[in-house]
Amino acid sequence: MFGRSLVVLIVCAALAACGGGGAADSSVAGGPLVEVVTVAAAGAGDVRASGMVGYRREPPLSFTSPGVVGAIYVDAGDQVRRGQRLATLRRISVGANAGEAEMAQANAERDLARTQALFDAGFVSQARLDDGRLAVERTRGASVLTAPADGIILRRDGEPAQTVAAGQAILVLGETASHLIVRAPTSPGEAARLKLGDSARVHVSELGGEPRAGRVTRIAAQGDRATGAFEVEVEVTDPRGLRSGMVASVEIAAAPAARAEIVILTPTLSLLDARADQGIVFVVDAESVARRRSVRTAGITQEGVLVVEGLASGERVISAGAAYVRDGESVRIAAPTR
């Protein structure tokens, strides 16, 4: 009996040892499940940037003297015409000398009467007559704010009965004739590759659809003192639906750099430990082993991260599950979903 029991124990121990070893081998051979993509070169000649949509000219409108706002006839979003009355102001001080003020008013009224007669006879324009009327109103202790051009009121910063200082903005006007543009900062190296007239594609995520055509109309002559970036203006060919203040991304077809860099496009989620222009990705080799790789980046687009150093076109990069992978570890690659 003792001999038979010993044989049973030995057989069970052998089976347990074999079973345990098999489980360990399966764990090592399996590895974490990940998704991979094969990276490819992006358009190296394009300059990519993001900026704000706005009118080329958006002047703040104000009175030239201090006073109390009498009335404001427009609001944000209103379309206005050149010369249209926008607001009135009762000046706090018309003049130090009352007699001088009365004389100025009399002269302005006399000039207006003369201009009115010439206008009735067809010798002067409506604009000349409006200037005469405006001069009379100014001598009466009131100021009138008129639209300097056709446009749209972007912002209203004043209210009736409000006391304002000379030069304090009451309204902000977007001049429609100046066209809608995108102002986007670029690096010094990118700005050096650009020239006026370069074609561009403009995309506004809120509007969706295909990118709109544009062209470079201005390149800053001096970099920003705080950031060193050079502002570039891109005029949008089709402004339908665009509004001042929207965020847009632009891709400008620029000349290649003197030292051309191969730009690799990789998914945003593949980048780990991103700091400034540095980051980490995991590259999977032919034996399905993940290798940690340091890369240098040049920004992020809607399509992914632009990598300028550390990757080659055709390499496989982990796009999902990289956070659970260790350097040199075998991985299981998930089948692509359709």
Side-chain angles (χ1 to χ4, degrees):
M1 291 294 293
F2 177 77
R4 183 179 299 176
S5 300
L6 180 61
V7 171
V8 172
L9 289 173
I10 293 173
V11 171
C12 291
L15 290 175
C18 292
D25 292 343
S26 174
S27 175
V28 172
L33 184 66
V34 299
E35 295 179 7
V36 300
V37 296
T38 301
V39 297
D46 291 347
V47 169
R48 293 174 169 83
S50 297
M52 301 290 291
V53 176
Y55 291 94
R56 180 173 285 110
R57 290 191 293 273
E58 297 184 352
L61 306 181
S62 60
F63 294 101
T64 58
S65 57
V68 178
V69 178
I72 299 179
Y73 305 109
V74 293
D75 208 340
D78 289 349
Q79 296 280 345
V80 297
R81 303 181 309 276
R82 181 180 183 275
Q84 179 178 335
R85 178 181 295 196
L86 305 179
T88 59
L89 179 84
R90 179 171 55 83
R91 284 184 286 173
I92 295 176
S93 176
V94 177
N97 190 313
E100 182 180 345
E102 291 178 2
M103 185 180 299
Q105 180 178 340
N107 288 335
E109 290 175 345
R110 184 172 59 253
D111 290 341
L112 175 60
R114 186 184 302 112
T115 303
Q116 182 69 59
L118 293 173
F119 176 80
D120 294 340
F123 292 110
V124 298
S125 64
Q126 178 67 48
R128 178 75 177 274
L129 181 61
D130 291 340
D131 289 342
R133 290 171 176 168
L134 181 59
V136 170
E137 290 188 8
R138 284 175 174 168
T139 61
R140 290 174 178 169
S143 293
V144 178
L145 185 64
T146 59
D150 294 346
I152 183 172
I153 301 299
L154 302 178
R155 193 170 71 247
R156 171 172 164 169
D157 294 329
E159 294 296 335
Q162 178 182 350
T163 301
V164 296
Q168 180 178 337
I170 301 299
L171 302 164
V172 176
L173 176 71
E175 297 185 12
T176 50
S178 67
H179 302 292
L180 279 166
I181 61 172
V182 178
R183 295 182 176 91
T186 61
S187 68
E190 291 172 332
R193 296 167 50 199
L194 301 178
K195 65 179 184 301
L196 297 180
D198 280 346
S199 62
R201 292 184 299 171
V202 180
H203 183 80
V204 179
S205 58
E206 290 86 353
L207 300 180
E210 293 295 322
R212 305 175 186 224
R215 63 185 183 90
V216 176
T217 54
R218 188 183 70 86
I219 304 171
Q222 183 181 29
D224 185 272
R225 294 185 178 181
T227 64
F230 285 75
E231 186 178 79
V232 174
E233 288 185 1
V234 175
E235 183 178 312
V236 186
T237 304
D238 180 10
R240 289 178 299 175
L242 293 180
R243 295 180 180 273
S244 179
M246 286 182 169
V247 177
S249 59
V250 297
E251 296 180 8
I252 307 171
R259 182 178 63 84
E261 293 177 323
I262 298 177
V263 181
I264 302 296
L265 190 64
T266 186
T268 304
L269 294 179
S270 67
L271 190 67
L272 304 175
D273 298 334
R275 297 179 183 179
D277 63 345
Q278 304 294 320
I280 299 293
V281 298
F282 276 96
V283 178
V284 179
D285 62 19
E287 286 73 35
S288 297
V289 175
R291 302 293 183 185
R292 184 181 175 94
R293 184 85 60 83
S294 297
V295 296
R296 184 166 66 88
T297 62
I300 298 177
T301 69
Q302 292 182 338
E303 291 77 20
V305 180
L306 300 175
V307 177
V308 294
E309 189 177 295
L311 282 179
S313 182
E315 290 190 303
R316 296 188 301 171
V317 172
I318 296 179
S319 60
Y324 307 101
V325 177
R326 296 190 300 271
D327 187 27
E329 184 177 20
S330 295
V331 296
R332 291 178 298 141
I333 300 174
T337 57
R338 295 186 179 182

